[in-house]
Amino acid sequence: MQNATEALRTFTLWIVLTSIFLGAALWLPGWKMAVRSAASSERKLALTLDDGPNPPYTEKFLQLLEHHQIPATFFFIGRNIEFHRASAQKVVDSGMEVGNHSYSHTRLQWKMPSQLAFEIEHTHSLIRSLGYQGPIPFRAPYGQWGGFLGLWLFFRSLPNILYDVPPTPADYFRADPAAIAESSSLRARGGSILLLHDGEGIRIESLEAADRLIRTLKAKGFQWVRLSELLTLR
Ligand SMILES: [Zn+2]
């Protein structure tokens, strides 16, 4: 009974804090509930790959990036790092950027602080345990933002780095790579953050879409840069 009362008290407090935060967030200068692109007119872009590590596709993406001599950021799921540690290690050793995409890829928006702490902090530790020393951007699963998650991130000054160019149609098994690449290249502009997936399933189409997309946008005069570099552009 005491546990139930305490849970209700925590829940109420959390609701009140969230309401205050959501109101305040409308006026807070410099704080965004989600970052979707860089405010820049320079022709620079960042490629981000979600849901890995996922052998052999993560390795194939690494080869592709090396072939094109461009950087990308791999947003790892913590649980997948545990399953595919060797694959994760290859990404770290390649010098690519690594991001935190939660531990279990669950919907985080209305999770309690203890669950948020586990999902985000445990994944952070797993990435560091690979010897990765660079910045670790965070991206919530399913493009979610705000809610309890927004509050939690705000108090930790940890931005939620989403994207402005998701794959359309979705880059799943049997999707048309040419259609994905064309759609993404038409929507990309200076400062864009593009999303594709190396994780969760068969990614042959995503790989081909990435190859086409990288070449098309290079030909249009865009430069692919690291996400951390893109986010410093103003
Ligand atoms: Zn995801």
Side-chain angles (χ1 to χ4, degrees):
M1 189 63 199
Q2 204 179 353
N3 273 354
T5 314
E6 244 169 56
L8 184 66
R9 217 179 277 153
T10 309
F11 184 72
T12 310
L13 179 66
W14 204 225
I15 290 278
V16 169
L17 285 172
T18 304
S19 308
I20 294 169
F21 166 69
L22 288 176
L26 295 173
W27 293 282
L28 279 173
W31 176 259
K32 285 184 188 167
M33 301 280 261
V35 176
R36 295 176 190 279
S37 62
S40 168
S41 55
E42 285 185 59
R43 289 176 82 76
K44 290 185 175 178
L45 308 165
L47 178 62
T48 61
L49 300 165
D50 281 13
D51 299 354
N54 174 37
Y57 300 103
T58 299
E59 284 83 349
K60 288 183 190 291
F61 267 99
L62 277 179
Q63 286 167 6
L64 181 76
L65 297 166
E66 197 177 314
H67 171 76
H68 287 291
Q69 294 281 297
I70 72 154
T73 302
F74 289 76
F75 279 91
F76 283 162
I77 296 173
R79 196 175 49 188
N80 289 355
I81 297 176
E82 290 176 340
F83 287 152
H84 308 297
R85 205 173 161 87
S87 205
Q89 190 68 58
K90 282 178 199 158
V91 174
V92 170
D93 294 346
S94 75
M96 293 290 165
E97 267 183 355
V98 177
N100 178 338
H101 197 39
S102 84
Y103 179 75
S104 61
H105 206 270
T106 184
R107 293 180 187 275
L108 297 179
Q109 199 171 23
W110 299 108
K111 288 277 190 283
M112 289 288 119
S114 58
Q115 288 167 289
L116 292 171
F118 173 76
E119 288 282 339
I120 298 168
E121 290 170 1
H122 186 50
T123 304
H124 190 94
S125 305
L126 284 168
I127 294 169
R128 287 286 182 233
S129 76
L130 298 163
Y132 179 75
Q133 297 188 341
I136 304 180
F138 170 73
R139 169 176 290 167
Y142 306 105
Q144 286 198 311
W145 54 274
F148 296 166
L149 170 69
L151 184 61
W152 195 92
L153 294 173
F154 171 73
F155 281 121
R156 279 157 185 78
S157 303
L158 183 62
N160 186 3
I161 312 291
L162 298 179
Y163 36 80
D164 61 338
V165 185
T168 306
D171 55 345
Y172 293 122
F173 180 48
R174 304 196 70 181
D176 177 7
I180 297 167
E182 191 190 352
S183 159
S184 291
S185 64
L186 287 174
R187 284 175 291 148
R189 53 176 185 77
S192 276
I193 300 173
L194 289 90
L195 166 66
L196 286 173
H197 295 82
D198 66 317
E200 300 293 297
I202 298 168
R203 290 297 178 188
I204 296 167
E205 287 79 9
S206 309
L207 259 173
E208 194 188 326
D211 185 36
R212 286 167 177 264
L213 188 56
I214 292 165
R215 280 190 281 117
T216 304
L217 289 172
K218 260 188 182 174
K220 283 187 176 179
F222 283 99
Q223 187 191 349
W224 293 95
V225 299
R226 295 168 84 87
L227 181 61
S228 56
E229 180 189 335
L230 190 84
L231 293 175
T232 61
L233 297 176
R234 287 287 177 272

